[in-house]
Amino acid sequence: MAAVGQASSFLSRAADAGRRLTGASQAPVTAAVVLALLALIQVTTSTTVTSGPTRDPFLRPPPEVVHDGMPLTLLLALLATVPVALVRTHLLLAAETVTLANALTLVSGFRPTVAATIALVVVGYLVARYRGQRAWLVMLLPFALILVFPLGAAGDHPDSVAVMLVVATVAGMVGSTARSRTEEAARRTSEESLAGTLLEHAALGERARIARELHDVVAHHISMISVQAETARLTTPGMPPEGAKRLLAIGDTAREALSEMRRLLGVLREDADPVPARAPQPGLADVADLVDGARASSGGASTRLILHGQPRPLEPGVELTAYRIVQEALTNSRRHAPGAAVDVSLDYGATALKVRVRDNGPGLVAGAAEGHGLLGMRERAAMVGGVITVGSGTRGGFLVEARFPLDRAGTP
């Protein structure tokens, strides 16, 4: 019907009005004044034009009754428009007043003014947009009741009641859609921000860890190169001048490399570890504490440390790598086989160190790909010349076994 088309045309203007009403501080008051003036003009114009025997399209009563209902019509027109001025401070109160004023207009036998309809669209949109769907559905209740149970003179023009119900419904749906989109955008932004923060913290932590390990392991060896070159140059009798020159160059190069590496480590540790860590890097002597911690965190599940051979100091790089592999293997056991018993075995051989970590859990799942932890184990082992194998044990469970050659090992 024509009224439905007219109500639909208000929709885009209502959305713009809703955005304007939440913008400038004086916008709600200005909008209320404009709507009130439009409503008064429409009421008085309809009353003035009505002078013949035909019924006016705006007012239900015949011409001789129009003047008697004029004060009530004007009052309802003002109540349906003026509360728009309060949408910023008292949105729900303004929405209830506008809704009830339009409903009473219908019950009194009059058709709501165009300005009152616009006000209803505006408050319906804003309530659904900023107060949620439940508050908006309450606004529809008066019109739905009047449509189902005609009150007063509302039964004389059910089309007007239906139009107001449709207008309020469409305005609320637009507001609910805008609210959903805003919430989804905010949630997506929050998730992206959280993911970025976690990634940044992980990257900073990894940079700090790499910096510490490089400093503790690589810097030690570079320093030894410099010291040994200088010692050889000064203590070797009968060394040709060319040889002494070469050793001096080796020492200078080692010192320059050490300075460059420390500069790069400073970049890596910037903002990642503002307070220098004073604790030494862990080694095989700390595996016992690692096993104790794993036993405590697993709720008392059996976690044993088994030693073969005579424990002795090894290269810092080998000890650190072995410790990290045991640490990662214990973490994997707690994650994938909670409650399973775990045996950690360190075998100090004459030429190699063997590290075994075995649990009695479900073992390796067929077709499962290696994760970053297992790949990291392989890379660490390869850096110190070791090899590592992972998979299901011969008696079930999961087995991590690493072998490190000790031909370069020695007491520090």
Side-chain angles (χ1 to χ4, degrees):
M1 56 184 68
V4 176
Q6 185 182 17
S8 299
S9 66
F10 295 149
L11 186 57
S12 59
R13 285 182 289 176
D16 294 336
R19 286 190 289 268
R20 289 195 299 270
L21 289 174
T22 56
S25 59
Q26 299 301 322
V29 177
T30 303
V33 171
V34 172
L35 291 175
L37 289 176
L38 291 176
L40 293 177
I41 291 172
Q42 184 174 354
V43 171
T44 55
T45 302
S46 292
T47 304
T48 302
V49 171
T50 304
S51 57
T54 59
R55 288 180 176 236
D56 183 76
F58 172 64
L59 298 173
R60 183 191 63 81
E64 61 272 14
V65 185
V66 169
H67 293 283
D68 295 336
M70 179 91 170
L72 176 60
T73 310
L74 291 175
L75 177 61
L76 292 175
L78 291 176
L79 287 176
T81 53
V82 173
V84 171
L86 304 176
V87 294
R88 174 164 294 168
T89 56
H90 302 85
L91 177 56
L92 292 180
L93 176 62
E96 292 171 359
T97 305
V98 171
T99 301
L100 292 177
N102 279 285
L104 290 175
T105 301
L106 294 169
V107 171
S108 301
F110 302 107
R111 299 179 188 274
T113 63
V114 174
T117 306
I118 294 176
L120 180 65
V121 171
V122 171
V123 296
Y125 171 83
L126 293 178
V127 167
R129 176 72 173 81
Y130 297 105
R131 291 295 186 269
Q133 191 173 19
R134 182 176 300 177
W136 158 61
L137 291 176
V138 173
M139 292 180 56
L140 304 181
L141 187 60
F143 302 110
L145 291 176
I146 294 174
L147 187 63
V148 177
F149 307 104
L151 302 176
D156 294 344
H157 44 88
D159 56 335
S160 298
V161 180
V163 168
M164 298 302 289
L165 180 60
V166 170
V167 167
T169 301
V170 174
M173 291 175 63
V174 174
S176 296
T177 302
R179 179 184 179 90
S180 299
R181 290 179 178 176
T182 301
E183 290 177 349
E184 179 63 25
R187 183 166 54 251
R188 191 162 49 246
T189 301
S190 177
E191 291 174 354
E192 292 175 355
S193 176
L194 178 60
T197 301
L198 293 176
L199 183 61
E200 181 180 357
H201 280 295
L204 291 176
E206 186 66 12
R207 285 168 56 186
R209 185 185 62 79
I210 293 173
R212 287 193 297 268
E213 293 187 3
L214 282 175
H215 180 271
D216 293 338
V217 178
V218 181
H220 169 73
H221 292 297
I222 295 179
S223 299
M224 290 302 298
I225 292 174
S226 175
V227 171
Q228 291 176 5
E230 195 69 18
T231 302
R233 183 177 68 85
L234 296 176
T235 59
T236 303
M239 175 175 291
E242 185 64 24
K245 182 179 178 181
R246 297 285 185 182
L247 289 175
L248 180 61
I250 291 174
D252 292 340
T253 302
R255 283 187 291 271
E256 291 177 4
L258 188 59
S259 299
E260 285 296 316
M261 189 190 70
R262 285 174 175 167
R263 182 182 65 81
L264 291 175
L265 292 182
V267 174
L268 283 175
R269 301 182 70 167
E270 184 180 0
D271 297 329
D273 193 9
V275 179
R278 298 299 183 184
Q281 284 294 324
L284 293 175
D286 301 298
V287 171
D289 295 334
L290 198 60
V291 170
D292 292 339
R295 184 186 304 112
S297 63
S298 62
S302 175
T303 305
R304 301 185 302 175
L305 174 61
I306 304 172
L307 296 178
H308 300 279
Q310 180 63 40
R312 61 186 184 276
L314 305 177
E315 281 189 71
V318 172
E319 293 211 7
L320 177 61
T321 299
Y323 178 89
R324 295 300 186 197
I325 288 176
V326 172
Q327 184 181 44
E328 181 67 23
L330 290 174
T331 301
N332 288 340
S333 295
R334 290 196 303 269
R335 182 184 305 163
H336 301 292
V342 183
D343 285 345
V344 178
S345 173
L346 299 180
D347 186 355
Y348 290 85
T351 59
L353 170 70
K354 294 181 181 179
V355 178
R356 288 168 52 93
V357 181
R358 185 179 65 84
D359 63 50
N360 62 354
L364 183 64
V365 177
E370 289 190 0
H372 294 291
L374 296 180
L375 292 177
M377 289 185 189
R378 295 188 186 280
E379 292 175 356
R380 283 183 174 275
M383 288 178 60
V384 293
V387 293
I388 186 171
T389 57
V390 296
S392 297
T394 56
R395 291 179 293 176
F398 192 75
L399 173 65
V400 176
E401 188 171 14
R403 183 181 185 280
F404 304 99
L406 300 183
D407 52 324
R408 293 178 297 170
T411 303

